[in-house]
Amino acid sequence: MARLLSNIILKGIGGYPVANSARIISGPSYQNGMKYFSTVPNDPDTHEDFRPTSKLESHGLSLKDIVEQDVKDNPVMIYMKGVPDFPQCGFSSLAVRVLRHYNVPISARNILEDPEIKNAVKGFSSWPTFPQIFIKGEFIGGSDIILTMHQNGELKEKLKDITASVEKSE
């Protein structure tokens, strides 16, 4: 009996999947604390005041300007999948772990939230993959390069000014 019930639940009744939903979501939605995006076009009946907008468009800066400002204003800037406290990719996670080893402040932007910023960063650095790490305004590379620099001592040297300024302020 239990096997029959589990087969019905897992396979669905009458060939219909159990998780089938007729609900269409437009724009970002939240489920279990996670943000999801849909490519379904906006509902034409929705007033324009309530339609989703890009967070970055309201600044009046171009995407290139935003990337330039991020890199200039933050000693350690990482464009990654997820955020430092919750990376959503193994490479991003590795880069954050290596950088945290040096106890430096890490500024980050989640490229999964806005595909346009992702493309702007790729254009800015001429580098196709993520994460992308910038230290003191200089493009360093991804997690593999950061790891290699950590292993051969170059990263410690590159971050020593930042580490020293953090220690002085504490």
Side-chain angles (χ1 to χ4, degrees):
M1 180 71 169
R3 185 178 303 249
L4 175 65
L5 284 174
S6 67
N7 283 340
I8 290 172
I9 291 170
L10 293 174
K11 293 181 182 174
I13 299 172
Y16 294 103
V18 175
N20 189 16
S21 173
R23 190 173 81 151
I24 296 175
I25 299 169
S26 179
S29 66
Y30 297 86
Q31 183 177 12
N32 298 329
M34 298 293 292
K35 189 173 185 180
Y36 296 93
F37 288 89
S38 170
T39 57
V40 177
N42 292 332
D43 182 357
D45 293 333
T46 302
H47 188 273
E48 72 178 60
D49 289 346
F50 300 103
R51 289 190 184 135
T53 59
S54 172
K55 295 176 193 174
L56 299 173
E57 288 174 5
S58 61
H59 291 165
L61 298 172
S62 73
L63 293 172
K64 182 181 178 217
D65 292 340
I66 290 169
V67 174
E68 285 177 355
Q69 186 174 353
D70 282 349
V71 170
K72 184 181 104 190
D73 293 348
N74 300 291
V76 179
M77 182 69 199
I78 180 170
Y79 292 91
M80 61 183 287
K81 294 177 181 176
V83 294
D85 290 335
F86 188 64
Q88 296 183 359
C89 146
F91 298 110
S92 294
S93 178
L94 174 62
V96 169
R97 283 184 292 160
V98 169
L99 290 168
R100 282 194 170 156
H101 177 77
Y102 294 94
N103 195 30
V104 292
I106 301 170
S107 300
R109 197 176 284 273
N110 183 357
I111 60 158
L112 297 176
E113 287 184 350
D114 192 343
E116 292 164 352
I117 196 78
K118 178 180 177 181
N119 290 329
V121 173
K122 283 182 182 182
F124 182 78
S125 65
S126 301
W127 192 263
T129 60
F130 288 90
Q132 292 192 15
I133 299 127
F134 294 83
I135 298 175
K136 296 187 264 183
E138 179 187 351
F139 175 62
I140 302 301
S143 59
D144 56 339
I145 295 170
I146 284 288
L147 181 60
T148 301
M149 289 176 71
H150 167 67
Q151 291 168 338
N152 67 23
E154 289 178 59
L155 188 58
K156 182 178 183 178
E157 188 65 28
K158 188 139 250 352
L159 293 172
K160 75 177 180 184
D161 299 347
I162 300 167
T163 306
S165 67
V166 170
E167 288 172 358
K168 283 180 185 175
S169 66
E170 289 178 350

Coordinates of all heavy atoms in Angstrom, one line a residue, residues 76-128:
V76 N 39.0 46.0 -2.5 CA 38.8 44.7 -3.0 C 37.4 44.5 -3.5 O 36.4 44.6 -2.7 CB 39.1 43.6 -1.9 CG1 38.8 42.2 -2.4 CG2 40.5 43.7 -1.4
M77 N 37.2 44.4 -4.8 CA 35.9 44.3 -5.4 C 35.8 43.0 -6.1 O 36.7 42.6 -6.9 CB 35.7 45.5 -6.4 CG 34.3 45.5 -7.1 SD 33.1 45.9 -5.9 CE 31.6 45.4 -6.7
I78 N 34.7 42.2 -5.9 CA 34.5 41.0 -6.5 C 33.1 40.9 -7.2 O 32.1 41.3 -6.5 CB 34.7 39.8 -5.6 CG1 34.5 38.4 -6.3 CG2 33.9 39.9 -4.3 CD1 34.9 37.2 -5.5
Y79 N 33.0 40.6 -8.4 CA 31.8 40.4 -9.1 C 31.6 38.9 -9.1 O 32.5 38.2 -9.7 CB 31.8 41.0 -10.5 CG 31.9 42.5 -10.5 CD1 33.1 43.1 -10.6 CD2 30.7 43.2 -10.5 CE1 33.1 44.5 -10.5 CE2 30.7 44.6 -10.5 CZ 32.0 45.2 -10.5 OH 32.0 46.6 -10.4
M80 N 30.5 38.4 -8.5 CA 30.4 37.0 -8.3 C 29.0 36.5 -8.4 O 28.1 37.3 -8.5 CB 30.9 36.7 -6.9 CG 30.2 37.3 -5.8 SD 30.8 37.0 -4.1 CE 30.3 35.3 -3.9
K81 N 28.8 35.2 -8.4 CA 27.5 34.6 -8.4 C 27.1 34.4 -7.0 O 27.7 33.6 -6.3 CB 27.5 33.3 -9.2 CG 27.8 33.4 -10.6 CD 27.8 32.1 -11.4 CE 28.1 32.3 -12.8 NZ 28.3 31.1 -13.6
G82 N 26.2 35.2 -6.5 CA 25.8 35.2 -5.1 C 26.4 36.3 -4.4 O 26.9 37.3 -5.0
V83 N 26.5 36.2 -3.1 CA 27.1 37.3 -2.2 C 28.2 36.6 -1.3 O 28.1 35.3 -1.2 CB 26.1 38.0 -1.4 CG1 25.2 38.8 -2.2 CG2 25.3 37.0 -0.5
P84 N 29.1 37.3 -0.8 CA 30.2 36.6 0.0 C 29.7 35.7 1.1 O 30.2 34.7 1.4 CB 31.0 37.8 0.6 CG 30.8 38.9 -0.4 CD 29.4 38.7 -0.9
D85 N 28.6 36.1 1.8 CA 28.0 35.2 2.8 C 27.3 34.0 2.3 O 27.0 33.1 3.0 CB 27.1 36.0 3.8 CG 27.9 37.0 4.6 OD1 29.1 36.7 4.8 OD2 27.3 38.0 5.0
F86 N 26.9 34.1 1.0 CA 26.1 33.0 0.4 C 26.5 32.8 -1.1 O 25.7 33.2 -2.0 CB 24.6 33.2 0.6 CG 23.8 32.0 0.2 CD1 23.9 30.8 0.8 CD2 22.9 32.1 -0.9 CE1 23.1 29.7 0.4 CE2 22.2 31.0 -1.3 CZ 22.3 29.8 -0.7
P87 N 27.7 32.4 -1.4 CA 28.1 32.2 -2.8 C 27.2 31.2 -3.5 O 26.8 30.2 -2.8 CB 29.5 31.8 -2.7 CG 30.0 32.0 -1.3 CD 28.8 32.0 -0.5
Q88 N 26.9 31.4 -4.7 CA 26.1 30.4 -5.5 C 26.8 29.7 -6.6 O 26.2 29.2 -7.5 CB 24.8 31.1 -6.0 CG 24.0 31.7 -4.9 CD 22.7 32.3 -5.4 OE1 22.5 32.4 -6.6 NE2 21.9 32.8 -4.5
C89 N 28.1 29.6 -6.4 CA 29.0 28.9 -7.3 C 30.3 28.5 -6.6 O 30.7 29.3 -5.8 CB 29.2 29.9 -8.5 SG 30.8 29.8 -9.3
G90 N 30.8 27.4 -6.9 CA 32.0 26.9 -6.3 C 33.2 27.8 -6.5 O 34.0 28.0 -5.6
F91 N 33.3 28.4 -7.7 CA 34.5 29.3 -8.0 C 34.3 30.6 -7.2 O 35.3 31.1 -6.7 CB 34.5 29.6 -9.5 CG 34.8 28.3 -10.3 CD1 33.8 27.8 -11.1 CD2 36.0 27.7 -10.3 CE1 34.0 26.7 -11.9 CE2 36.2 26.5 -11.0 CZ 35.2 26.0 -11.8
S92 N 33.1 31.1 -7.1 CA 32.9 32.3 -6.3 C 33.2 32.0 -4.8 O 33.8 32.8 -4.1 CB 31.5 32.8 -6.4 OG 31.2 33.3 -7.8
S93 N 32.8 30.9 -4.3 CA 33.0 30.5 -3.0 C 34.5 30.4 -2.7 O 35.0 30.8 -1.6 CB 32.3 29.1 -2.7 OG 32.6 28.7 -1.4
L94 N 35.3 29.8 -3.6 CA 36.7 29.6 -3.4 C 37.4 31.0 -3.3 O 38.2 31.3 -2.5 CB 37.3 28.8 -4.6 CG 38.8 28.7 -4.6 CD1 39.4 28.0 -3.4 CD2 39.3 28.0 -5.9
A95 N 37.0 31.9 -4.2 CA 37.6 33.3 -4.2 C 37.3 34.0 -2.9 O 38.2 34.6 -2.4 CB 37.0 34.1 -5.4
V96 N 36.1 33.9 -2.4 CA 35.8 34.5 -1.2 C 36.6 33.9 0.0 O 37.1 34.7 0.8 CB 34.2 34.5 -0.9 CG1 33.9 34.9 0.5 CG2 33.5 35.3 -1.9
R97 N 36.7 32.6 0.0 CA 37.4 32.0 1.1 C 38.9 32.4 1.1 O 39.5 32.7 2.1 CB 37.3 30.4 1.0 CG 36.0 29.9 1.5 CD 35.9 28.4 1.5 NE 35.9 28.0 0.1 CZ 36.3 26.8 -0.3 NH1 36.6 25.9 0.5 NH2 36.2 26.5 -1.6
V98 N 39.5 32.5 -0.1 CA 40.9 32.9 -0.2 C 41.0 34.3 0.3 O 41.9 34.7 1.1 CB 41.4 32.7 -1.6 CG1 42.8 33.4 -1.8 CG2 41.5 31.2 -2.0
L99 N 40.2 35.2 -0.2 CA 40.2 36.6 0.2 C 40.0 36.8 1.7 O 40.6 37.7 2.4 CB 39.3 37.5 -0.6 CG 39.6 37.6 -2.1 CD1 38.5 38.2 -2.9 CD2 40.9 38.5 -2.3
R100 N 39.1 36.1 2.3 CA 38.8 36.2 3.7 C 39.9 35.8 4.6 O 40.1 36.2 5.7 CB 37.5 35.4 4.1 CG 36.3 36.2 3.6 CD 35.0 35.6 4.3 NE 33.9 36.5 4.0 CZ 32.7 36.1 4.0 NH1 32.4 34.8 4.2 NH2 31.7 37.0 3.8
H101 N 40.8 34.9 4.0 CA 42.0 34.5 4.8 C 42.8 35.7 5.1 O 43.6 35.6 6.2 CB 42.8 33.5 3.9 CG 44.0 33.0 4.5 ND1 44.1 32.1 5.5 CD2 45.3 33.4 4.2 CE1 45.4 31.9 5.8 NE2 46.1 32.7 5.1
Y102 N 42.8 36.8 4.4 CA 43.6 37.9 4.6 C 42.9 39.0 5.4 O 43.5 40.1 5.7 CB 44.1 38.5 3.3 CG 45.0 37.6 2.6 CD1 44.5 36.7 1.6 CD2 46.4 37.5 2.9 CE1 45.4 35.8 1.0 CE2 47.2 36.6 2.2 CZ 46.7 35.8 1.3 OH 47.6 34.9 0.7
N103 N 41.7 38.8 5.8 CA 41.0 39.7 6.7 C 40.9 41.1 6.1 O 41.1 42.1 6.8 CB 41.6 39.7 8.1 CG 40.6 40.4 9.1 OD1 39.4 40.3 9.0 ND2 41.2 41.0 10.1
V104 N 40.5 41.1 4.8 CA 40.3 42.4 4.1 C 38.8 42.6 3.9 O 38.1 41.7 3.7 CB 41.1 42.5 2.8 CG1 42.6 42.5 3.0 CG2 40.7 41.4 1.8
P105 N 38.4 43.9 3.9 CA 37.0 44.1 3.5 C 36.7 43.8 2.1 O 37.5 44.2 1.2 CB 36.8 45.6 3.8 CG 38.2 46.2 3.8 CD 39.2 45.1 4.1
I106 N 35.7 43.0 1.8 CA 35.4 42.6 0.5 C 34.1 43.3 0.1 O 33.1 43.2 0.8 CB 35.2 41.1 0.4 CG1 36.5 40.4 0.8 CG2 34.8 40.6 -1.0 CD1 36.3 38.9 1.0
S107 N 34.1 44.0 -1.0 CA 32.9 44.5 -1.6 C 32.5 43.6 -2.8 O 33.4 43.1 -3.5 CB 33.2 46.0 -2.2 OG 33.6 46.8 -1.1
A108 N 31.2 43.4 -2.9 CA 30.8 42.4 -4.0 C 29.5 42.9 -4.6 O 28.7 43.6 -4.0 CB 30.6 41.1 -3.3
R109 N 29.3 42.4 -5.8 CA 28.1 42.6 -6.5 C 27.7 41.3 -7.1 O 28.4 40.6 -7.7 CB 28.2 43.7 -7.6 CG 26.9 44.2 -8.1 CD 27.1 45.3 -9.1 NE 27.5 46.6 -8.6 CZ 26.7 47.5 -8.2 NH1 25.4 47.3 -8.1 NH2 27.1 48.7 -7.7
N110 N 26.4 40.9 -6.9 CA 25.9 39.7 -7.3 C 25.4 39.8 -8.8 O 24.4 40.5 -9.1 CB 24.7 39.3 -6.5 CG 24.1 37.9 -6.8 OD1 24.5 37.3 -7.8 ND2 23.1 37.5 -6.1
I111 N 26.1 39.1 -9.7 CA 25.8 39.3 -11.1 C 24.6 38.5 -11.5 O 24.1 38.7 -12.6 CB 27.0 38.8 -12.0 CG1 27.4 37.3 -11.7 CG2 28.2 39.7 -11.8 CD1 28.1 36.6 -12.8
L112 N 24.1 37.6 -10.7 CA 22.9 36.9 -11.0 C 21.6 37.7 -10.9 O 20.6 37.4 -11.4 CB 22.8 35.6 -10.1 CG 23.9 34.6 -10.2 CD1 23.7 33.5 -9.2 CD2 23.9 34.0 -11.6
E113 N 21.8 38.8 -10.1 CA 20.6 39.7 -10.0 C 20.3 40.6 -11.2 O 19.2 41.1 -11.4 CB 20.8 40.6 -8.8 CG 20.7 39.9 -7.4 CD 20.8 40.8 -6.3 OE1 21.1 42.0 -6.4 OE2 20.5 40.4 -5.2
D114 N 21.4 40.9 -12.0 CA 21.2 41.7 -13.1 C 22.1 41.3 -14.3 O 23.3 41.6 -14.2 CB 21.5 43.2 -12.7 CG 21.0 44.2 -13.7 OD1 20.8 43.8 -14.9 OD2 20.9 45.4 -13.4
P115 N 21.5 40.7 -15.3 CA 22.3 40.2 -16.4 C 23.0 41.4 -17.1 O 24.1 41.2 -17.7 CB 21.4 39.5 -17.3 CG 20.1 39.5 -16.6 CD 20.1 40.3 -15.4
E116 N 22.5 42.6 -17.1 CA 23.1 43.7 -17.8 C 24.4 44.1 -17.1 O 25.4 44.4 -17.8 CB 22.1 44.9 -17.8 CG 20.9 44.6 -18.7 CD 19.8 45.6 -18.4 OE1 19.8 46.4 -17.5 OE2 18.8 45.5 -19.2
I117 N 24.5 44.1 -15.8 CA 25.7 44.4 -15.1 C 26.8 43.3 -15.4 O 28.0 43.6 -15.5 CB 25.5 44.6 -13.6 CG1 26.7 45.3 -12.9 CG2 25.3 43.3 -12.8 CD1 26.8 46.8 -13.2
K118 N 26.3 42.1 -15.5 CA 27.2 41.0 -15.8 C 27.9 41.3 -17.2 O 29.1 41.1 -17.3 CB 26.4 39.7 -15.9 CG 27.2 38.5 -16.3 CD 26.3 37.2 -16.4 CE 27.1 36.0 -16.8 NZ 26.2 34.8 -16.9
N119 N 27.2 41.7 -18.1 CA 27.7 42.0 -19.5 C 28.6 43.2 -19.4 O 29.6 43.3 -20.1 CB 26.6 42.2 -20.5 CG 26.0 40.8 -20.8 OD1 26.6 39.8 -20.8 ND2 24.7 40.9 -21.1
A120 N 28.2 44.2 -18.6 CA 29.1 45.4 -18.4 C 30.4 45.1 -17.8 O 31.5 45.6 -18.3 CB 28.3 46.4 -17.6
V121 N 30.4 44.2 -16.8 CA 31.7 43.8 -16.2 C 32.6 43.0 -17.2 O 33.8 43.3 -17.3 CB 31.4 42.9 -14.9 CG1 32.7 42.4 -14.4 CG2 30.7 43.7 -13.9
K122 N 32.0 42.1 -18.0 CA 32.7 41.4 -19.0 C 33.4 42.4 -20.0 O 34.5 42.2 -20.4 CB 31.8 40.4 -19.8 CG 31.5 39.2 -19.1 CD 30.6 38.3 -20.0 CE 30.1 37.0 -19.3 NZ 29.4 36.2 -20.3
G123 N 32.6 43.4 -20.4 CA 33.2 44.4 -21.3 C 34.3 45.2 -20.7 O 35.2 45.6 -21.3
F124 N 34.1 45.5 -19.4 CA 35.1 46.4 -18.7 C 36.4 45.7 -18.6 O 37.5 46.3 -18.7 CB 34.5 46.7 -17.3 CG 35.4 47.6 -16.5 CD1 35.4 49.0 -16.8 CD2 36.1 47.1 -15.5 CE1 36.2 49.8 -16.0 CE2 37.0 47.9 -14.7 CZ 37.0 49.3 -15.0
S125 N 36.4 44.4 -18.2 CA 37.6 43.6 -18.0 C 38.1 42.8 -19.2 O 39.3 42.4 -19.1 CB 37.4 42.6 -16.8 OG 36.4 41.7 -17.2
S126 N 37.3 42.7 -20.2 CA 37.6 41.8 -21.3 C 37.9 40.4 -20.9 O 38.8 39.7 -21.4 CB 38.8 42.4 -22.1 OG 38.5 43.6 -22.6
W127 N 37.2 39.9 -19.9 CA 37.3 38.6 -19.3 C 36.0 37.9 -19.3 O 35.0 38.5 -18.8 CB 37.9 38.7 -17.9 CG 38.3 37.5 -17.2 CD1 37.6 36.7 -16.4 CD2 39.6 36.9 -17.4 NE1 38.4 35.6 -16.0 CE2 39.7 35.7 -16.6 CE3 40.8 37.2 -18.1 CZ2 40.8 34.9 -16.5 CZ3 41.9 36.4 -18.0 CH2 41.9 35.3 -17.2
P128 N 35.8 36.7 -19.8 CA 34.5 36.1 -20.0 C 33.9 35.4 -18.8 O 32.7 35.2 -18.8 CB 34.7 35.1 -21.1 CG 36.1 34.7 -20.9 CD 36.9 35.9 -20.4

